[in-house]
Amino acid sequence: MRTETPPLIRLEDYRPSAFLIDRVDLDIRLDPHATRVTAELALRPNPAGDPEAPLHLDGDDLTLVALDLDGAPVAPGDYTADASGLTLHRPPRRPFTLRLVTQVDPTANTRLMGLYRADGVYCTQCEADGFRRITYFLDRPDVMAVYTTRIEARRDEAPVLLGNGNPVEVGPVGEDRHYAVWHDPHPKPAYLFALVGGRLGKVETTFRTSEGRDVTCAVYVEPGKEDRAGYALDAVIRSMEWDERAFGRAYDLDVFNVVAVSAFNMGAMENKGLNIFNDKYVLAAPETATDADYAAIEAIIAHEYFHNWSGNRVTCRDWFQLCLKEGLTVFRDQEFSSDMRSRPVHRIGEVRSLRARQFPEDAGPLKHPVRPTAYAEINNFYTATVYDKGAEIVRMLKTLIGAEAFRAGMDRYFADNDGRAATVEDFLAAFAAVTGRDLSAFARWYERPGTPRLSARGTYEADAGRYTLRLTQTLPVEGPPLVIPVALGLVGAEGPLSGATCGALDGGVFVLDRPEATLVFEGVGEAPVPSILRDFSAPVRLDLSLSDEERLRLLARDSDPFNRWQAAQDVALRLILAPDPARGAAFAEALGAFLDGEALADPAFAALVLALPTEGEAADALPADVDPDAIHQARHALRVQLGQALRPRLDRLEAALAPATDGPYSPDAAPAGRRSLRNAALDLIAAGDPKAGAALATRRLAEAGNMTDRLAALGVIARIPGEAREDALERFGEAFAHEPLVLDKWFAIQATIPEAGTLARIDRLTRHPAFAMTNPNRVRALIGSFAMANPTQFARADGAGFALVGETVKALDSANPQVAARLLTAFGSWRRLEKTRRVAAFEMLNGIKAVPGLSRDVADILGRTLEGG
């Protein structure tokens, strides 16, 4: 471990590297415990750097074997080296070659950063600072070099050897070893380096780019699972086609490889030409993967592929610019998924994720600007703020300037910065250049932490046929106003009021770039209901004082799908926070009318309308003194009321959408939408009548022909105590005992049961043969699901839930600090809990703080969680 009190790295302190590296030649001789790495670096002084600086190379847990300068050994007094770095005190002030030989132990690398070996496969993860665990290096994103990599291994241990770029040469080494040489002609930073060695099967196909290049596309998986890689390979091809069509970006190598591994800290990594994936985002078959799994595979395959341009060809100058590649690429993968599926349904999913993850982050002690100004551990800034809010900023930019100008700006950005390490300023400059706009005020979105609040108040003058709407923005921190695109319209009793006019709108959008503004609509023939933030045009909290009746008009009559869904969510949230059976009955009646008219026309959208706000969203709506038990009880009571009131309609839906009507399984949007509504109906039936729901779910579980229906039925059964539940869980676990990714779902279902016995259940499951603390997927499935998705038991008043997660953090920290730190973020909202729970959380956090030698990852999260307001 590196330090218990990590120093801050600040954006204002950025300085160009004193040296640059033009070429990197690597010779990596793989061995389970003693891998030998020879790195030959072609260096030269950076004209923009400090001309008198020594050469300092980053390192982490390395053993130096040899060091040569221009072919001659470096004298011991001319350098210092230890496990954490190497400094050449008097480097040449001319181009020179440095040869370093280091040794690492891949098997002992439980942090899964750098080069590691797990489940018999050699693998790398170098973002953000893992390459320094392979060799001493200028491990920073603004140092870009051309790499040639020779990989050698025992043939029986690693018959497949993969690297960045294009394959150059393969051959034998003696009787039992072999080698492969890979060359990447495109300069890249060290964080994009990758290699894989192991026993792997593959599926492959060929794609011809718009530029006429024939690309061999392959997906490598554990042998015997090739039949589960087809959907991922198809997603690769669709991503390539879409990026050419939507952004004009063609692929630039002869091969594109995807490798699925089971031990991986992240979801996936966009290494140039060799994307490495957590296997949960590659492997899919109807018997083992849900509709949500298929959608995630499609999105994440696309995300990593799109990084080839937004991240690789154009990378970020420093890690403060992380949103430049991640936020932009999230926007790109969201647009891809919207085109592949239902755009309104996908947009609702994007916003649900933003509100569930990013809004609480922005309101808690871990909040930070989309472009941070300082960090202690960069691994802790791969956050919802950088990714999801960063994507929303790009979306707002497109809204402001229009689709045509946005595409022109993207073309300009790629053209101006190809092969460079860019900044947010470079990105915005491209759009300013093609539009002539001053985007300096818009750039404040990258600088401000916290979620702005938009207030809307309207008055109607019937005699004049005039509606006046006042918009006000309130910022979480002081400063000049933000530029907020507000998409809006007016809705009457029968639908949108198309005759109403307002000169301040441009294409239905008003740009609020000052603290407040007043909009006047003329030709308004009836009292309207304002539909504000259509399609969620800005990542703000909306304060809009409407009655239930007015909101339900939006559900029934608005033309904007997002705000129709939002109206139902708003009414449901108010009923959870302030229960009222009479208002609940009116809500049920409105939902019934909606289902009668539209459920079968768009089942996926109907399922979203039926889904109540989560307990986390309800907690996020409260300013302080949150009682998770009270929220759970109120939400459950509303589910019971809706399940009983809607029962006849739910039964009819269940019959109309019965599995027998599905046909062969397909993960595409239309059949997935039918399953989602069918399972939403099952969930509400069980809430209103647990006995009938359990019987129906048990039958569904037995008859299910796919994992989506099977898991939905098991989830319903898991919420109904009794012997039938335990029997169903046991039989499911036995049936899928040799399917780790399915068992992850099984772990998660049990970890999120909102009952006092869940802690004992989790304790038993940690001793299950399939569970291992060394595998991040298993830990996230069991402990992570409990911490993030079971608020009543994680935040138990007796502190036992906090203790379970806190002790896991302690146990994991020395072995895998990244996973431990991510678990610790579950405490982010502890200050907003009611006093008893708040005290228990505080005691647990201080107990972790008392552990000597905490990793930098955990120490950073812990310090901000305890100190933040």
Side-chain angles (χ1 to χ4, degrees):
M1 295 299 100
R2 288 172 286 192
T3 176
E4 194 171 337
T5 54
L8 283 178
I9 299 170
R10 300 183 184 279
L11 173 59
E12 65 184 12
D13 294 335
Y14 170 82
R15 299 292 184 274
S17 173
F19 292 87
L20 298 175
I21 303 176
D22 293 320
R23 190 190 77 252
V24 178
D25 293 324
L26 294 170
D27 187 334
I28 302 177
R29 303 185 183 191
L30 295 173
D31 180 272
H33 296 286
T35 289
R36 184 66 62 94
V37 179
T38 301
E40 187 172 287
L41 314 180
L43 294 109
R44 60 183 170 90
N46 183 358
D50 182 350
E52 299 181 0
L55 172 64
H56 178 76
L57 303 179
D58 301 298
D60 186 357
D61 201 20
L62 294 175
T63 299
L64 180 66
V65 177
L67 176 65
D68 294 344
L69 174 63
D70 289 336
V74 179
D78 291 338
Y79 75 96
T80 56
D82 56 29
S84 61
L86 183 151
T87 300
L88 194 63
H89 301 304
R90 292 176 294 278
R93 303 301 168 180
R94 53 167 175 79
F96 62 98
T97 300
L98 200 64
R99 178 178 175 274
L100 304 107
V101 181
T102 54
Q103 184 168 299
V104 297
D105 184 345
T107 302
N109 185 3
T110 62
R111 290 169 57 184
L112 310 186
M113 282 291 288
L115 173 65
Y116 63 93
R117 185 172 185 264
D119 302 316
V121 177
Y122 293 95
C123 185
T124 57
Q125 171 56 36
C126 292
E127 187 174 359
D129 52 9
F131 192 72
R132 67 187 65 185
R133 294 175 58 79
I134 297 173
T135 188
Y136 294 103
F137 203 75
L138 292 172
D139 196 2
R140 46 187 290 168
D142 59 348
V143 173
M144 305 173 69
V146 172
Y147 284 67
T148 301
T149 305
R150 180 185 182 277
I151 311 166
E152 180 185 313
R154 287 183 60 92
R155 187 180 292 104
D156 60 346
E157 179 182 70
V160 174
L161 298 173
L162 302 174
N164 298 107
N166 295 319
V168 174
E169 182 182 349
V170 297
V173 180
E175 295 184 359
D176 59 356
R177 294 178 71 83
H178 71 136
Y179 74 93
V181 177
W182 292 79
H183 175 69
D184 182 1
H186 301 282
K188 65 174 179 285
Y191 81 85
L192 292 172
F193 171 81
L195 72 77
V196 172
R199 290 190 166 276
L200 299 165
K202 72 173 178 177
V203 295
E204 69 177 19
T205 190
T206 301
F207 175 77
R208 173 161 288 186
T209 72
S210 58
E211 298 174 346
R213 181 191 295 270
D214 288 324
V215 181
T216 300
C217 303
V219 177
Y220 290 82
V221 297
E222 179 183 336
K225 295 184 177 179
E226 292 89 345
D227 60 340
R228 303 185 190 185
Y231 191 77
L233 183 60
D234 178 66
V236 169
I237 301 305
R238 286 185 286 123
S239 300
M240 288 180 158
E241 293 171 341
W242 184 89
D243 209 19
E244 289 185 349
R245 184 173 64 253
F247 283 90
R249 301 298 107 192
Y251 189 60
D252 52 7
L253 292 169
D254 299 333
V255 298
F256 181 75
N257 290 321
V258 169
V259 181
V261 296
S262 60
F264 202 65
N265 281 344
M266 301 182 178
M269 179 61 208
E270 70 268 20
N271 316 296
K272 184 71 178 181
L274 179 57
N275 288 189
I276 299 177
F277 275 66
N278 188 318
D279 61 0
K280 71 180 290 186
Y281 297 119
V282 170
L283 301 176
E287 299 79 18
T288 58
T290 65
D291 293 337
D293 292 328
Y294 278 96
I297 289 169
E298 178 180 77
I300 296 173
I301 286 282
H303 180 95
E304 304 307 328
Y305 173 74
F306 296 155
H307 267 311
N308 187 59
W309 277 92
S310 51
N312 297 2
R313 288 283 289 264
V314 181
T315 193
C316 47
R317 186 196 70 179
D318 52 68
W319 291 120
F320 298 100
Q321 321 294 329
L322 183 59
C323 63
L324 187 59
K325 73 181 189 76
E326 295 301 346
L328 175 57
T329 306
V330 168
F331 169 78
R332 277 158 45 76
D333 81 55
Q334 289 174 347
E335 289 296 286
F336 167 79
S337 294
S338 294
D339 284 349
M340 296 296 109
R341 296 174 177 267
S342 163
R343 182 167 288 272
V345 167
H346 196 270
R347 182 60 179 150
I348 291 168
E350 294 162 8
V351 177
R352 290 183 72 185
S353 176
L354 180 81
R355 288 173 173 166
R357 300 169 61 240
Q358 198 278 323
F359 275 25
E361 184 173 274
D362 240 355
L366 300 179
K367 66 177 177 289
H368 61 84
V370 172
R371 179 168 65 177
T373 57
Y375 63 80
E377 173 52 67
I378 188 55
N379 289 321
N380 291 336
F381 282 82
Y382 286 76
T383 62
T385 296
V386 166
Y387 281 67
D388 299 341
K389 189 174 180 180
E392 292 299 314
I393 294 175
V394 177
R395 188 177 302 279
M396 285 190 292
L397 179 61
K398 182 178 180 181
T399 299
L400 286 169
I401 66 175
E404 185 176 344
F406 180 79
R407 170 61 192 272
M410 288 300 306
D411 289 347
R412 178 69 177 263
Y413 171 64
F414 288 131
D416 288 353
N417 296 284
D418 190 8
R420 294 185 62 242
T423 65
V424 167
E425 286 76 14
D426 295 323
F427 178 67
L428 293 178
F431 295 93
V434 299
T435 64
R437 289 183 179 230
D438 180 357
L439 295 175
S440 57
F442 179 78
R444 294 170 191 152
W445 277 102
Y446 287 100
E447 304 164 1
R448 301 283 183 79
T451 306
R453 185 173 294 275
L454 175 66
S455 174
R457 297 291 183 269
T459 57
Y460 177 59
E461 301 169 70
D463 293 343
R466 180 181 298 119
Y467 182 77
T468 302
L469 183 67
R470 182 184 179 192
L471 300 176
T472 305
Q473 61 168 288
T474 304
L475 306 180
V477 294
E478 291 186 7
L482 294 172
V483 177
I484 303 176
V486 183
L488 56 88
L490 302 181
V491 179
E494 299 301 321
L497 297 177
S498 57
T501 61
C502 177
L505 298 187
D506 182 3
V509 176
F510 176 73
V511 179
L512 181 64
D513 55 5
R514 47 196 182 277
E516 62 181 54
T518 300
L519 284 67
V520 178
F521 293 80
E522 303 289 356
V524 184
E526 61 179 289
V529 177
S531 175
I532 311 292
L533 284 182
R534 286 180 161 175
D535 204 36
F536 200 66
S537 58
V540 301
R541 295 180 187 267
L542 178 60
D543 178 10
L544 180 62
S545 296
L546 298 180
S547 66
D548 284 359
E549 180 181 3
E550 289 172 314
R551 293 186 188 279
L552 294 177
R553 180 195 289 188
L554 294 177
L555 170 63
R557 301 298 182 186
D558 200 352
S559 59
D560 181 63
F562 178 84
N563 272 1
R564 297 186 67 202
W565 168 81
Q566 184 64 63
Q569 291 287 292
D570 288 340
V571 174
L573 182 60
R574 291 171 65 179
L575 287 168
I576 292 171
L577 299 180
D580 183 329
R583 289 174 49 237
F587 182 45
E589 183 178 350
L591 288 179
F594 165 80
L595 293 175
D596 290 343
E598 304 185 47
L600 295 180
D602 191 346
F605 180 68
L608 290 171
V609 171
L610 283 182
L612 300 182
T614 66
E615 293 171 29
E617 288 173 298
D620 187 52
L622 296 173
D625 294 324
V626 173
D627 182 347
D629 289 337
I631 290 174
H632 173 76
Q633 291 162 10
R635 185 177 183 274
H636 178 68
L638 181 57
R639 291 178 66 244
V640 170
Q641 183 179 16
L642 295 178
Q644 293 173 351
L646 296 173
R647 179 63 183 277
R649 291 178 170 94
L650 297 172
D651 286 341
R652 289 197 294 272
L653 283 175
E654 199 277 331
L657 299 168
T661 67
D662 283 354
Y665 177 84
S666 167
D668 292 344
R674 290 173 59 84
R675 285 186 289 272
S676 66
L677 181 55
R678 179 168 71 219
N679 291 323
L682 171 62
D683 181 66
L684 279 179
I685 289 171
D689 185 346
K691 183 176 180 181
L696 178 57
T698 299
R699 187 170 74 249
R700 286 269 190 86
L701 182 61
E703 299 173 354
N706 59 78
M707 183 53 67
T708 300
D709 287 339
R710 188 175 292 118
L711 202 69
L714 185 66
V716 167
I717 294 169
R719 297 300 191 272
I720 303 173
E723 291 184 9
R725 171 175 75 183
E726 303 310 319
D727 180 59
L729 288 168
E730 182 177 357
R731 284 188 286 112
F732 187 97
E734 291 173 352
F736 295 97
H738 301 294
E739 295 286 352
L741 297 179
V742 178
L743 287 181
D744 283 346
K745 306 176 196 304
W746 182 69
F747 285 137
I749 281 178
Q750 296 181 79
T752 54
I753 294 173
E755 297 174 9
T758 294
L759 266 71
R761 184 185 296 273
I762 290 175
D763 182 62
R764 292 194 302 273
L765 289 172
T766 58
R767 295 188 291 276
H768 189 278
F771 183 81
M773 279 287 186
T774 55
N775 186 287
N777 281 354
R778 306 299 91 82
V779 174
R780 285 189 285 258
L782 186 60
I783 310 301
S785 295
F786 172 77
M788 306 295 182
N790 193 345
T792 67
Q793 299 310 302
F794 171 60
R796 283 168 49 141
D798 64 3
F802 297 140
L804 170 65
V805 176
E807 293 302 324
T808 304
V809 169
K810 292 179 186 178
L812 272 176
D813 187 36
S814 60
N816 194 326
Q818 282 190 36
V819 175
R822 287 301 172 103
L823 282 179
L824 191 57
T825 63
F827 287 87
S829 299
W830 72 274
R831 289 181 185 273
R832 296 177 52 247
L833 295 169
E834 56 79 28
K835 185 177 180 180
T836 300
R837 291 171 169 83
R838 194 163 63 241
V839 169
F842 181 70
E843 291 176 351
M844 187 67 245
L845 290 168
N846 276 291
I848 298 172
K849 185 178 180 181
V851 175
L854 289 173
S855 69
R856 194 165 71 186
D857 307 65
V858 166
D860 171 46
I861 294 292
L862 183 63
R864 288 191 284 145
T865 301
L866 281 169
E867 296 166 10

